[in-house]
Amino acid sequence: MAKIIIEKLYWDKVYRDLEKEVIKTSTYDDFIIQLMGDLKDKKVLDYGSGPGVMAKALHDYGAIVDVYDINEKILKMATKRINSQRIIYNKEKIAENYYDFVLCNLVVCIVDHDEVLDIAVDIYDALNSKSGIAFIGFCNPLIYQFHETNLDIRHSGNLQYNKNHMYLKEKKEGNYVIPEMHRPIHWYDQIFEKSGLKIIKKIFTPSYDVNGDEISDFIIYKLGKQ
């Protein structure tokens, strides 16, 4: 029976499932690392890091990686991959105007509306003002009507694209269910611009066929400071 994540603080309950993801890693993690280019000695913050899978990959490419997550239990689990000195438990300790890259992977689609702006402001503050780049990625809202993809089964009913709404998403890798927020892309545009972030580019992960339709699982915003 699928495990149900009823709030964001419960992610440590399925951390072993997160560590074993294969399709998501190849579809999203590897793709975003390619977007970042040469990582040697680059200062990177993984905001909402989970158990440190992405952070470990970035470290292996030569980056200096700090990680932050709201879930203290899952951060402690991340110590098997990341030096404990690079783990940030209190977001007030995140350095400002410091990082070459800030990543926020699959976080903004699972938090409340107001929290998305708070996260965007945190990312703005952390970025190096000269050349810092943020990548904020989340599940592609344009595929809201697809009941099943390679990664997920959605239980969303007949809800509209332009309406913010919550739906349940069953993860095929891990066999658990999460409540996720659907918000149209233009909603995120407005939030990121309000935070002070400048939209450089919107990038979709590689597409594939689902019953004759080409879909992309994720959208990634490349952002800088205005």
Side-chain angles (χ1 to χ4, degrees):
M1 183 177 178
K3 298 178 284 286
I4 298 179
I5 309 303
I6 59 174
E7 60 177 270
K8 54 184 174 290
L9 293 178
Y10 284 12
W11 278 99
D12 56 281
K13 304 297 184 184
V14 294
Y15 83 96
R16 294 190 186 279
D17 299 310
L18 299 175
E19 292 177 325
K20 295 176 182 177
E21 289 176 329
V22 176
I23 301 174
K24 177 262 180 182
T25 299
S26 62
T27 302
Y28 183 89
D29 296 27
D30 295 347
F31 181 75
I32 203 167
I33 288 172
Q34 290 176 9
L35 295 178
M36 297 171 73
D38 182 12
L39 286 166
K40 184 168 178 56
D41 297 328
K42 297 296 185 181
K43 297 184 289 291
V44 181
L45 172 66
D46 189 353
Y47 188 110
S49 62
V53 175
M54 171 74 88
K56 176 62 165 59
L58 295 168
H59 171 79
D60 289 347
Y61 278 100
I64 303 165
V65 188
D66 291 334
V67 301
Y68 166 73
D69 199 284
I70 194 173
N71 189 312
E72 291 189 6
K73 291 180 181 178
I74 211 167
L75 279 179
K76 290 177 180 177
M77 297 166 187
T79 58
K80 66 183 180 181
R81 294 185 174 87
I82 302 298
N83 187 318
S84 60
Q85 294 181 341
R86 310 305 311 188
I87 293 178
I88 300 170
Y89 289 92
N90 181 348
K91 75 173 187 176
E92 303 302 323
K93 301 293 185 180
I94 296 174
E96 295 188 3
N97 193 30
Y98 177 74
Y99 293 97
D100 300 302
F101 292 104
V102 179
L103 302 183
C104 185
N105 300 312
L106 314 184
V107 173
V108 296
C109 51
I110 60 171
V111 299
D112 296 336
H113 301 323
D114 292 343
E115 195 170 349
V116 179
L117 179 58
D118 292 341
I119 290 170
V121 170
D122 289 343
I123 290 170
Y124 174 90
D125 290 341
L127 275 180
N128 180 323
S129 60
K130 293 182 179 179
S131 58
I133 295 294
F135 288 103
I136 302 179
F138 50 95
C139 297
N140 180 7
L142 296 175
I143 63 171
Y144 77 103
Q145 77 276 27
F146 284 86
H147 175 64
E148 185 170 357
T149 69
N150 284 352
L151 288 168
D152 311 303
I153 298 173
R154 290 175 168 79
H155 304 279
S156 55
N158 296 316
L159 299 170
Q160 299 179 17
Y161 170 78
N162 284 319
K163 299 292 185 181
N164 290 7
H165 60 263
M166 188 274 287
Y167 65 97
L168 294 180
K169 176 184 283 187
E170 184 177 343
K171 307 296 291 183
K172 291 183 177 179
E173 291 187 302
N175 191 35
Y176 59 92
V177 175
I178 61 171
E180 185 157 303
M181 296 304 302
H182 166 88
R183 306 177 181 104
I185 288 174
H186 64 78
W187 185 90
Y188 286 100
D189 292 348
Q190 294 169 358
I191 292 295
F192 295 149
E193 290 171 356
K194 185 176 181 179
S195 74
L197 292 168
K198 175 178 65 176
I199 300 171
I200 299 171
K201 192 175 184 180
K202 301 173 197 174
I203 306 161
F204 292 91
T205 52
S207 62
Y208 57 92
D209 179 84
V210 174
N211 298 323
D213 292 304
E214 289 292 312
I215 72 166
S216 299
D217 285 302
F218 306 105
I219 181 171
I220 299 166
Y221 277 70
K222 181 178 181 180
L223 304 145
K225 285 191 171 182
Q226 293 184 15

